[in-house]
Amino acid sequence: MKPISALFMALPGSVAQGLIWGILAIGVYITYKILDFADLTVDGTLGTGGAVAVVLIINGCPVPLALVCAFIAGCVAGLVTGMLNTALGIPAILAGILTQLALYSINLDIMGQANTAINVDKYPLIVSLRFIPETIAKGVLFIAAIIAILYWFFGTEYGFTIRATGCNSNMARAQGINTKKSTVIALILSNGLVGLAGGLLAQYQGNSDVNMGRGAIVIGLAAVIIGEVLGEVILGKHLNFVGRLAFTAVGAIIYYIVIQIVLWLGLSTQNTKLFSAIVVAVFLAVPYLRKNAKNSFKSAAKKGVVKDA
């Protein structure tokens, strides 16, 4: 086990990385929680956003514009998945897998190789592993801006149709809502955020890799579940839409802190994916176990009342 000081020194980096992944987690929240759509496109979209941003920056494109393009590239990926599902009738999971598979080759074509490095000394990157405090501050600003925009969007007519589609698609159709259109819009928005996260992550780690998105959906789901559990524990019934989005980002930070603690304990980095799966499984099980515990308590209370009677 390393000294405790090594853990504290590594925590700011975990927070910075968690904030970037928090953007991806918010994108996953839109499809997983709001739309109720199992979208596996995420693993490919993250790499696409990174590849687009890095290649554009290297070729002289301003960094903010490169991030906009990364967002648009993610939107296109979401559009493809949405059309495969709604226009061609391909199940949600398979539609996401097909797009993800295609994006692997597309990402290679964009970069021309498996990995493309980018140096903060040569380019005015927005975030970087070498400037953790600035990265944390900018990450918080990105998260706050995204939550504000989503709060506005989901209060509009389009936003309400997406929420209605995710809540009960049959009822939504009965009310005259075009659920296919709502599904496509949600997927576009979700993957756009994932593409943006990819553009920031590539800058942060100093390179874009064709495999950088592998397992991204697991991390995104972990952040969503951790944030939801934590939000319900802290705020309970007062947990609103803004709070859920904010706690989703906090969930990503906690996830990376947990992983950092695991590595600090001296466990092999080769088992990082295993630890990730365990963390996700534990937090996925928490809501179910809490619900069963409440039901068991209620059942026991009722039996007690009956016996007393």
Side-chain angles (χ1 to χ4, degrees), residues 145-163:
I146 289 169
I147 290 176
I149 293 171
L150 290 179
Y151 178 75
W152 165 80
F153 174 76
F154 280 101
T156 64
E157 183 179 349
Y158 278 122
F160 276 115
T161 60
I162 292 172
R163 295 165 75 173

